[in-house]
PDB file of all heavy atoms in Angstrom:
ATOM      1  N   LYS B 280      83.586 117.539  87.521  1.00 85.00           N
ATOM      2  CA  LYS B 280      82.602 116.788  86.618  1.00 85.00           C
ATOM      3  C   LYS B 280      81.154 117.358  86.916  1.00 85.00           C
ATOM      4  O   LYS B 280      80.404 117.362  85.900  1.00 85.00           O
ATOM      5  CB  LYS B 280      82.784 115.353  86.976  1.00 85.00           C
ATOM      6  CG  LYS B 280      83.527 114.622  85.766  1.00 85.00           C
ATOM      7  CD  LYS B 280      83.676 113.145  85.979  1.00 85.00           C
ATOM      8  CE  LYS B 280      84.624 112.587  84.985  1.00 85.00           C
ATOM      9  NZ  LYS B 280      85.006 111.234  85.343  1.00 85.00           N
ATOM     10  N   THR B 281      80.932 117.543  88.188  1.00 83.00           N
ATOM     11  CA  THR B 281      79.364 117.954  88.443  1.00 83.00           C
ATOM     12  C   THR B 281      79.042 119.100  87.758  1.00 83.00           C
ATOM     13  O   THR B 281      78.034 119.140  86.980  1.00 83.00           O
ATOM     14  CB  THR B 281      79.186 117.982  89.962  1.00 83.00           C
ATOM     15  OG1 THR B 281      79.685 116.785  90.516  1.00 83.00           O
ATOM     16  CG2 THR B 281      77.739 118.210  90.288  1.00 83.00           C
ATOM     17  N   PRO B 282      79.704 120.311  87.848  1.00 88.00           N
ATOM     18  CA  PRO B 282      79.210 121.493  87.213  1.00 88.00           C
ATOM     19  C   PRO B 282      79.296 121.283  85.621  1.00 88.00           C
ATOM     20  O   PRO B 282      78.443 121.773  84.876  1.00 88.00           O
ATOM     21  CB  PRO B 282      80.314 122.539  87.533  1.00 88.00           C
ATOM     22  CG  PRO B 282      81.343 121.930  88.387  1.00 88.00           C
ATOM     23  CD  PRO B 282      80.814 120.683  88.781  1.00 88.00           C
ATOM     24  N   LEU B 283      80.267 120.431  85.159  1.00 91.00           N
ATOM     25  CA  LEU B 283      80.346 120.214  83.742  1.00 91.00           C
ATOM     26  C   LEU B 283      79.244 119.451  83.222  1.00 91.00           C
ATOM     27  O   LEU B 283      78.767 119.721  82.078  1.00 91.00           O
ATOM     28  CB  LEU B 283      81.630 119.497  83.383  1.00 91.00           C
ATOM     29  CG  LEU B 283      82.960 120.562  83.369  1.00 91.00           C
ATOM     30  CD1 LEU B 283      84.160 119.761  83.217  1.00 91.00           C
ATOM     31  CD2 LEU B 283      82.786 121.606  82.285  1.00 91.00           C
ATOM     32  N   THR B 284      78.766 118.534  84.076  1.00 90.00           N
ATOM     33  CA  THR B 284      77.620 117.650  83.656  1.00 90.00           C
ATOM     34  C   THR B 284      76.420 118.472  83.469  1.00 90.00           C
ATOM     35  O   THR B 284      75.728 118.493  82.594  1.00 90.00           O
ATOM     36  CB  THR B 284      77.341 116.625  84.788  1.00 90.00           C
ATOM     37  OG1 THR B 284      78.573 115.783  84.914  1.00 90.00           O
ATOM     38  CG2 THR B 284      76.283 115.645  84.389  1.00 90.00           C
ATOM     39  N   ILE B 285      76.303 119.369  84.520  1.00 90.00           N
ATOM     40  CA  ILE B 285      75.056 120.348  84.588  1.00 90.00           C
ATOM     41  C   ILE B 285      75.086 121.232  83.203  1.00 90.00           C
ATOM     42  O   ILE B 285      74.087 121.382  82.609  1.00 90.00           O
ATOM     43  CB  ILE B 285      75.030 121.205  85.737  1.00 90.00           C
ATOM     44  CG1 ILE B 285      74.727 120.310  86.930  1.00 90.00           C
ATOM     45  CG2 ILE B 285      73.994 122.263  85.658  1.00 90.00           C
ATOM     46  CD1 ILE B 285      75.050 120.822  88.274  1.00 90.00           C
ATOM     47  N   LEU B 286      76.235 121.823  82.946  1.00 93.00           N
ATOM     48  CA  LEU B 286      76.445 122.778  81.970  1.00 93.00           C
ATOM     49  C   LEU B 286      76.135 122.044  80.505  1.00 93.00           C
ATOM     50  O   LEU B 286      75.278 122.478  79.829  1.00 93.00           O
ATOM     51  CB  LEU B 286      77.810 123.277  81.828  1.00 93.00           C
ATOM     52  CG  LEU B 286      78.202 124.402  82.754  1.00 93.00           C
ATOM     53  CD1 LEU B 286      79.677 124.838  82.724  1.00 93.00           C
ATOM     54  CD2 LEU B 286      77.350 125.724  82.289  1.00 93.00           C
ATOM     55  N   ARG B 287      76.739 120.751  80.461  1.00 92.00           N
ATOM     56  CA  ARG B 287      76.512 120.136  79.164  1.00 92.00           C
ATOM     57  C   ARG B 287      75.111 119.731  79.013  1.00 92.00           C
ATOM     58  O   ARG B 287      74.469 119.999  77.987  1.00 92.00           O
ATOM     59  CB  ARG B 287      77.496 118.945  79.168  1.00 92.00           C
ATOM     60  CG  ARG B 287      77.328 118.070  77.911  1.00 92.00           C
ATOM     61  CD  ARG B 287      78.202 116.885  77.903  1.00 92.00           C
ATOM     62  NE  ARG B 287      78.321 116.294  76.588  1.00 92.00           N
ATOM     63  CZ  ARG B 287      78.874 115.306  76.269  1.00 92.00           C
ATOM     64  NH1 ARG B 287      79.893 114.942  76.988  1.00 92.00           N
ATOM     65  NH2 ARG B 287      78.836 114.762  75.008  1.00 92.00           N
ATOM     66  N   GLY B 288      74.623 119.156  80.078  1.00 92.00           N
ATOM     67  CA  GLY B 288      73.155 118.675  79.947  1.00 92.00           C
ATOM     68  C   GLY B 288      72.142 119.812  79.641  1.00 92.00           C
ATOM     69  O   GLY B 288      71.352 119.717  78.801  1.00 92.00           O
ATOM     70  N   GLU B 289      72.275 120.924  80.387  1.00 92.00           N
ATOM     71  CA  GLU B 289      71.345 122.004  80.264  1.00 92.00           C
ATOM     72  C   GLU B 289      71.449 122.674  78.792  1.00 92.00           C
ATOM     73  O   GLU B 289      70.467 122.959  78.158  1.00 92.00           O
ATOM     74  CB  GLU B 289      71.636 123.024  81.233  1.00 92.00           C
ATOM     75  CG  GLU B 289      71.115 122.603  82.657  1.00 92.00           C
ATOM     76  CD  GLU B 289      71.291 123.684  83.699  1.00 92.00           C
ATOM     77  OE1 GLU B 289      71.927 124.584  83.502  1.00 92.00           O
ATOM     78  OE2 GLU B 289      70.667 123.505  84.748  1.00 92.00           O
ATOM     79  N   ILE B 290      72.698 122.648  78.300  1.00 93.00           N
ATOM     80  CA  ILE B 290      72.976 123.400  77.012  1.00 93.00           C
ATOM     81  C   ILE B 290      72.503 122.399  75.943  1.00 93.00           C
ATOM     82  O   ILE B 290      71.744 122.947  74.997  1.00 93.00           O
ATOM     83  CB  ILE B 290      74.519 123.785  76.809  1.00 93.00           C
ATOM     84  CG1 ILE B 290      74.952 124.902  77.764  1.00 93.00           C
ATOM     85  CG2 ILE B 290      74.782 124.200  75.388  1.00 93.00           C
ATOM     86  CD1 ILE B 290      76.363 125.034  77.922  1.00 93.00           C
ATOM     87  N   GLU B 291      72.781 121.162  75.992  1.00 91.00           N
ATOM     88  CA  GLU B 291      72.263 120.321  75.005  1.00 91.00           C
ATOM     89  C   GLU B 291      70.721 120.252  74.917  1.00 91.00           C
ATOM     90  O   GLU B 291      70.067 120.216  73.829  1.00 91.00           O
ATOM     91  CB  GLU B 291      72.773 118.826  75.344  1.00 91.00           C
ATOM     92  CG  GLU B 291      74.153 118.622  74.873  1.00 91.00           C
ATOM     93  CD  GLU B 291      74.596 117.270  75.207  1.00 91.00           C
ATOM     94  OE1 GLU B 291      73.911 116.448  75.832  1.00 91.00           O
ATOM     95  OE2 GLU B 291      75.765 116.967  74.717  1.00 91.00           O
ATOM     96  N   LEU B 292      70.059 120.367  76.102  1.00 89.00           N
ATOM     97  CA  LEU B 292      68.675 120.292  76.178  1.00 89.00           C
ATOM     98  C   LEU B 292      68.121 121.645  75.659  1.00 89.00           C
ATOM     99  O   LEU B 292      67.035 121.599  74.925  1.00 89.00           O
ATOM    100  CB  LEU B 292      68.289 120.346  77.579  1.00 89.00           C
ATOM    101  CG  LEU B 292      66.922 119.428  77.906  1.00 89.00           C
ATOM    102  CD1 LEU B 292      67.172 118.121  77.470  1.00 89.00           C
ATOM    103  CD2 LEU B 292      66.710 119.486  79.444  1.00 89.00           C
TER     104      LEU B 292
END
Side-chain angles (χ1 to χ4, degrees):
Chain B
K280 260 179 188 170
T281 306
L283 286 173
T284 305
I285 293 167
L286 276 172
R287 182 176 183 173
E289 285 181 349
I290 293 168
E291 279 180 358
L292 216 58

